[in-house]
Amino acid sequence: MSNVCLVGGAPFSPVDRGYPPRWETPPVAQVIEIDDPADPRLDDFRDLSTADRRPDRPGGRGLVIAEGVVVVERLLASPYPVRSLLGVRRRVEALGELPAPAYVTSAEVMAEVVGFHLNRGVLAAADRAPQPPVERLARHARRLAVLEGVGDHENLGALFRNAAALGVDGVILGPGCSDPLYRRSVRVSMGHVLRVPFATAPSWPGTLGMLRDEGFRVAALTPRAGAANLADAGLRGERVAVLLGSEGPGLTEEAIQAADLAVRIPMSPGVDSLNVATAAAVAFYALL
Amino acid sequence: MSNVCLVGGAPFSPVDRGYPPRWETPPVAQVIEIDDPADPRLDDFRDLSTADRRPDRPGGRGLVIAEGVVVVERLLASPYPVRSLLGVRRRVEALGELPAPAYVTSAEVMAEVVGFHLNRGVLAAADRAPQPPVERLARHARRLAVLEGVGDHENLGALFRNAAALGVDGVILGPGCSDPLYRRSVRVSMGHVLRVPFATAPSWPGTLGMLRDEGFRVAALTPRAGAANLADAGLRGERVAVLLGSEGPGLTEEAIQAADLAVRIPMSPGVDSLNVATAAAVAFYALL
């Protein structure tokens, strides 16, 4: 049984406001009750843990999936074209006007479709959108985070959340970084990966030279002795790109050499390091 | 089949160096091969996910469980009396001299005993130890973190890790905080909950008044308008207690009123908040 309720009528239309492309808020939305978990209209949300590992899904590397009211709201406000929503009625109704069909069902049917229990009550699926080239992202930014080897999805998501909170205009992904639009990164970022623009470095460490040419001071965060204390780096007010490596191995020597300076967070003896997203937050606060 | 290898001979003996009590490094250690997952000597490690919910275990609120070489090493260096270890031979041998019996087995038997797959290869179990009274912890500290309502085990663990890295001498747990010695907190803290002393506030918000009497400036971290910018709070060099609330509800009004001042991290518009452990790291960096 499905109950169709047509709220509006016109199709999506893209509006060129640069990268990523934005879409006019479309006046279409349907709220559709579904109680058959096998209904093919729910395929975007089917077996999510498995789908995350399937690059053959629509969107090339997988759909963008948002979980929970807060993150779904950020997806709705983002440039990513929303395909559909799935949720319990109370959560879907809390979202207000919708740009795509919303499938309403029970928590039990949701769990059966996605393959695990969700206590967030609403999901949305969107297609990916083109990312800006690094040059374009850099031209309009004063503060950048540049990542090398940040392969952990949760750390990457947390880093975007901290970047959004602490005034970073964009994130550049060097080699070894994972996909910020992977479902777990989206969730841990509280949806801020959908809001903070990011770009992939076309060369490494060549991109760091390009940022310097563009007027950025590139500051490599590293615990090594000889790095300047963050508080004394004197970078406030400048255009700064903070270069961050993964926990454990840290930045490569060639990345550190390609930076303008190395900075460190003063730490207690006997403590290896902070989590990379936490170290990033301290550096964003101190430098930006 | 079990193969006993006696390395030493004398029993533990407690040495009174204050709170928590310390133990002399005992010269006893046995490395014992076990290949029967039902062996009762492995009971400290049995069904860990379930055991975490069983306050009737030895130690009153459960044992202290350390997972992985780094965290086990911190447990071995801590005041908590180690009862036994369980691991694959390679990991156990990496630990050097041991104060308690170490049971060596295969990864498969370990998984069967603990109830899930561990990729860290070694575990240790210890009894709890008495915590200091707040007065004693405060008397010897210059920098404290005071928590209200931090109920999430992972946030609590991360907060201890950040406290250890950024020079906090102790943590005071107000109402609504979870147990720092819960297995997941120990793991996320990288073992630093075993290193940074903590105490439970005997009254609330009365303990904040006690800290002020003891010479601390109590700074409440809150996003509310009217709070001073962290950078302008002028607390460097003073004895400071940073008061932190949970994400979401934040600090109670009575806790904020009982503090000397309210401080905030300047944040971008449209971003709700930082994770509590991350906000704590920024505040520790800025204030301490």
Side-chain angles (χ1 to χ4, degrees):
Chain A
M1 183 198 80
S2 77
N3 170 19
V4 177
C5 156
L6 193 64
V7 178
F12 287 2
S13 66
V15 181
D16 182 18
R17 299 192 199 127
Y19 285 91
R22 296 194 161 269
W23 300 76
E24 278 182 351
T25 304
V28 170
Q30 301 176 339
V31 174
I32 300 159
E33 277 184 20
I34 291 186
D35 54 14
D36 175 8
D39 192 309
R41 289 172 292 180
L42 306 185
D43 282 355
D44 282 354
F45 304 102
R46 198 170 304 287
D47 300 327
L48 281 183
S49 298
T50 311
D52 280 341
R53 293 188 289 272
R54 282 171 47 192
D56 56 333
R57 301 269 301 186
R61 298 169 68 197
L63 298 174
V64 181
I65 302 286
E67 300 165 88
V69 170
V70 170
V71 180
V72 168
E73 282 175 340
R74 294 213 165 103
L75 180 63
L76 294 171
S78 82
Y80 298 96
V82 176
R83 297 160 58 94
S84 59
L85 297 97
L86 170 64
V88 296
R89 181 167 291 279
R90 191 165 62 91
R91 296 292 183 207
V92 169
E93 285 178 349
L95 294 169
E97 256 188 77
L98 298 174
Y103 303 110
V104 165
T105 190
S106 66
E108 292 69 31
V109 170
M110 274 187 84
E112 200 172 333
V113 172
V114 303
F116 51 86
H117 182 71
L118 278 161
N119 53 16
R120 292 180 182 79
V122 65
L123 295 163
D127 285 317
R128 291 182 176 240
Q131 298 301 329
V134 166
E135 294 76 2
R136 183 153 183 172
L137 196 156
R139 201 169 309 136
H140 300 287
R142 286 195 58 77
R143 300 149 168 195
L144 292 172
V146 186
L147 314 184
E148 186 190 46
V150 179
D152 180 277
H153 287 108
E154 297 198 11
N155 283 343
L156 191 63
L159 202 148
F160 270 84
R161 180 181 179 187
N162 298 344
L166 296 166
V168 173
D169 302 313
V171 175
I172 295 174
L173 306 170
C177 292
S178 58
D179 172 13
L181 296 179
Y182 183 84
R183 185 167 55 89
R184 205 182 315 147
S185 297
V186 174
R187 183 178 66 226
V188 173
S189 82
M190 302 286 285
H192 290 297
V193 293
L194 308 171
R195 197 164 167 265
V196 176
F198 60 89
T200 301
S203 66
W204 195 260
T207 296
L208 301 178
M210 188 276 282
L211 291 173
R212 295 168 67 172
D213 294 345
E214 190 68 49
F216 282 87
R217 296 264 283 159
V218 178
L221 189 68
T222 166
R224 66 169 59 181
N229 186 323
L230 260 189
D232 308 327
L235 293 171
R236 277 185 182 270
E238 299 209 43
R239 289 178 81 196
V240 178
V242 185
L243 177 59
L244 299 151
S246 70
E247 253 172 284
L251 290 168
T252 60
E253 189 59 36
E254 64 173 347
I256 294 176
Q257 290 304 325
D260 288 290
L261 73 167
V263 294
R264 68 180 170 78
I265 299 170
M267 272 195 272
S268 304
V271 179
D272 357 77
S273 69
L274 292 166
N275 165 285
V276 61
T278 307
V282 170
F284 298 156
Y285 171 81
L287 292 178
L288 306 181
Chain B
M1 186 198 77
S2 78
N3 170 18
V4 177
C5 157
L6 195 64
V7 179
F12 286 2
S13 66
V15 181
D16 183 16
R17 301 193 198 125
Y19 286 90
R22 296 194 160 267
W23 300 75
E24 278 181 350
T25 305
V28 171
Q30 300 175 342
V31 174
I32 301 159
E33 278 185 19
I34 291 186
D35 53 14
D36 175 8
D39 192 308
R41 289 172 294 180
L42 306 185
D43 283 355
D44 282 354
F45 304 103
R46 198 170 304 288
D47 300 328
L48 281 182
S49 298
T50 312
D52 281 342
R53 293 189 291 271
R54 282 171 47 192
D56 56 334
R57 300 269 299 183
R61 297 168 68 195
L63 297 174
V64 181
I65 302 286
E67 301 166 89
V69 170
V70 170
V71 180
V72 168
E73 281 174 340
R74 294 215 164 103
L75 179 63
L76 293 172
S78 81
Y80 298 97
V82 176
R83 296 160 58 92
S84 59
L85 297 96
L86 170 63
V88 297
R89 180 167 292 279
R90 191 166 61 91
R91 296 292 185 208
V92 168
E93 284 177 350
L95 294 169
E97 258 189 76
L98 297 174
Y103 304 109
V104 165
T105 189
S106 66
E108 293 68 32
V109 170
M110 273 188 83
E112 200 172 333
V113 172
V114 304
F116 50 86
H117 181 70
L118 278 161
N119 54 16
R120 292 180 182 81
V122 65
L123 295 163
D127 286 316
R128 291 180 177 241
Q131 297 303 328
V134 166
E135 292 76 2
R136 183 153 183 171
L137 196 156
R139 200 168 311 135
H140 300 286
R142 287 195 58 78
R143 300 150 167 192
L144 292 172
V146 186
L147 314 184
E148 186 189 47
V150 179
D152 180 276
H153 287 108
E154 297 199 10
N155 283 343
L156 190 63
L159 201 147
F160 270 83
R161 180 181 179 186
N162 299 344
L166 297 166
V168 173
D169 301 312
V171 175
I172 295 173
L173 305 170
C177 291
S178 57
D179 172 13
L181 296 179
Y182 183 84
R183 185 167 55 89
R184 205 183 313 148
S185 297
V186 173
R187 184 177 66 226
V188 173
S189 82
M190 302 286 284
H192 290 296
V193 293
L194 308 171
R195 202 165 164 263
V196 176
F198 59 89
T200 301
S203 67
W204 196 259
T207 296
L208 301 178
M210 188 276 283
L211 291 173
R212 295 168 66 173
D213 294 345
E214 190 68 48
F216 282 88
R217 295 266 283 159
V218 179
L221 189 69
T222 167
R224 65 169 59 179
N229 186 324
L230 260 189
D232 308 327
L235 294 171
R236 276 184 183 270
E238 300 209 44
R239 290 177 82 196
V240 178
V242 184
L243 177 59
L244 298 151
S246 70
E247 253 173 282
L251 290 168
T252 59
E253 189 59 36
E254 65 173 348
I256 295 175
Q257 290 304 325
D260 287 291
L261 74 167
V263 293
R264 68 181 170 77
I265 299 171
M267 271 195 272
S268 304
V271 180
D272 357 77
S273 69
L274 292 165
N275 165 285
V276 61
T278 307
V282 171
F284 298 155
Y285 171 82
L287 293 178
L288 305 181

